[in-house]
Amino acid sequence: MTDNSASPVTTSDPATAQKPAKTPDNKPEKKEDNFFVFLTKLVLIVVIFRSFIFSPFNIPSESMLPTLANGDYLLAAKWPYGFTSDSLPFGAPLIPGRIWAGEPERGDIAIFKHPVDGTDYIKRVIGIPGDTVEMRGGQVILNGEAIPKEQMADFEIAPSPNTQCHVMSRTVIKEDGETVCSYTRFKETLPSGESYEVLDFGPQFQDNFGPIIVPEGEMFVMGDNRDNSQDSRFSAEPGGGVGMVPQDLLLARASVIMWSTDGSSEWLLPWTWFTALRGERLGNGL
């Protein structure tokens, strides 16, 4: 019997063998290209983080003692008050006006641009639009009601390159021989129940102010170091008072102290970065 079924035919003839399809060369990326892409992404992430989430700020004065001291470095939240061109690096004019605007709350520690000279200032928000603010004998009166003011133990801080004893402070030598600057301290409590500490040098001309009504879109701010602060009690002028601050100048809300130095460190001596550290201030929420 003859098998007539077809069967596959194979051949080893190189002339008839099917050649494999060519594939494009997969050349590895150059390391320089990889690093450039990584660096670009890193810069973009940092810019977005600093512009819209958190940004570092440092405290260059004593107007917010005892809450903030000269030499404190803090993180401030950028999103609570919305965003303007001032939120961007170098104030790039890419945002029209203020977007996603949020109004500050009484008691917030707000960072904002000075209404005249444009420098960064930090103060506590005391009055919001519609509030009537006045001060009598060093006591804040909000909407006709005196803000409770309770004396506490004196605030003490060691003198250093960043912190000098004010002429109105008292210099005290402790039992261990340490010299400190001592200030009379009070606790104020807002109608919301939020409390914070303030310093008071005694009777001063700025202890009496107002009454004044906070206009729409603005805010009344004060420094916690009440007798050493150029704030809304003073007319806005370069390097001085800020007057009523437009909310469109808001930058961020202070959140936490992440570093604090007494100013005695030297860049070329790394160990002094830690001997100058005021560790008791780290992590203090604001």
Side-chain angles (χ1 to χ4, degrees), residues 59 61-70 72 74 109 122 224 254 257 281 286:
I59 305 303
S61 74
E62 298 181 358
S63 69
M64 283 296 292
L65 277 175
T67 311
L68 294 170
N70 187 1
D72 284 350
L74 55 89
I109 299 178
I122 182 167
D224 290 348
I257 298 173
R281 301 187 64 80
L286 303 171

Side-chain angles (χ1 to χ4, degrees), residues 44-56 75 78:
L44 184 61
I45 290 171
V46 170
V47 168
I48 292 174
F49 186 85
R50 291 192 53 154
S51 298
F52 303 109
I53 305 177
F54 282 102
S55 186
L75 278 180
K78 302 294 289 288

Side-chain angles (χ1 to χ4, degrees), residues 2-263:
T2 302
D3 186 359
N4 294 324
S5 63
S7 60
V9 178
T10 60
T11 177
S12 59
D13 185 353
T16 58
Q18 185 177 5
K19 296 181 179 180
K22 290 185 178 181
T23 57
D25 294 335
N26 294 321
K27 293 182 179 180
E29 282 189 85
K30 294 180 181 179
K31 290 184 178 180
E32 293 84 353
D33 294 341
N34 289 337
F35 177 74
F36 177 76
V37 171
F38 166 77
L39 189 61
T40 301
K41 290 180 179 179
L42 180 62
V43 170
L44 184 61
I45 290 171
V46 170
V47 168
I48 292 174
F49 186 85
R50 291 192 53 154
S51 298
F52 303 109
I53 305 177
F54 282 102
S55 186
F57 290 87
N58 71 290
I59 305 303
S61 74
E62 298 181 358
S63 69
M64 283 296 292
L65 277 175
T67 311
L68 294 170
N70 187 1
D72 284 350
Y73 291 79
L74 55 89
L75 278 180
K78 302 294 289 288
W79 69 87
Y81 304 142
F83 308 99
T84 67
S85 291
D86 288 327
S87 305
L88 303 176
F90 310 109
L94 302 177
I95 299 177
R98 186 161 65 116
I99 61 173
W100 301 320
E103 187 168 272
E105 297 181 1
R106 301 187 197 98
D108 284 1
I109 299 178
I111 300 168
F112 55 90
K113 290 290 185 182
H114 189 284
V116 179
D117 62 35
T119 55
D120 292 352
Y121 267 51
I122 182 167
K123 304 290 181 187
R124 189 179 297 276
V125 178
I126 299 297
I128 56 178
D131 283 344
T132 300
V133 182
E134 64 180 304
M135 201 170 188
R136 292 288 172 260
Q139 185 166 39
V140 178
I141 301 171
L142 185 63
N143 297 323
E145 297 290 334
I147 292 180
K149 185 177 180 181
E150 174 188 353
Q151 187 162 358
M152 306 173 63
D154 289 350
F155 171 71
E156 298 177 342
I157 186 168
S160 70
N162 270 347
T163 304
Q164 303 299 316
C165 290
H166 191 276
V167 66
M168 298 295 292
S169 71
R170 299 175 301 280
T171 302
V172 176
I173 300 177
K174 310 284 286 184
E175 292 182 357
D176 59 3
E178 180 186 16
T179 299
V180 297
C181 314
S182 180
Y183 299 88
T184 303
R185 175 169 52 174
F186 294 86
K187 180 176 73 172
E188 287 186 351
T189 303
L190 292 170
S192 63
E194 180 175 355
S195 298
Y196 49 87
E197 299 174 5
V198 300
L199 303 184
D200 195 324
F201 294 162
Q204 305 289 325
F205 77 91
Q206 62 265 40
D207 285 348
N208 296 286
F209 172 87
I212 190 170
I213 298 175
V214 183
E216 189 65 29
E218 300 187 0
M219 58 186 182
F220 187 96
V221 298
M222 298 180 73
D224 290 348
N225 194 351
R226 289 293 162 76
D227 297 323
N228 192 19
S229 172
Q230 295 283 317
D231 47 41
S232 290
R233 293 171 291 174
F234 301 86
S235 299
E237 57 183 45
V242 298
M244 289 288 185
V245 180
Q247 293 186 21
D248 284 348
L249 298 179
L250 282 165
L251 294 176
R253 184 182 65 200
S255 299
V256 63
I257 298 173
M258 61 178 183
W259 189 261
S260 183
T261 175
D262 66 13

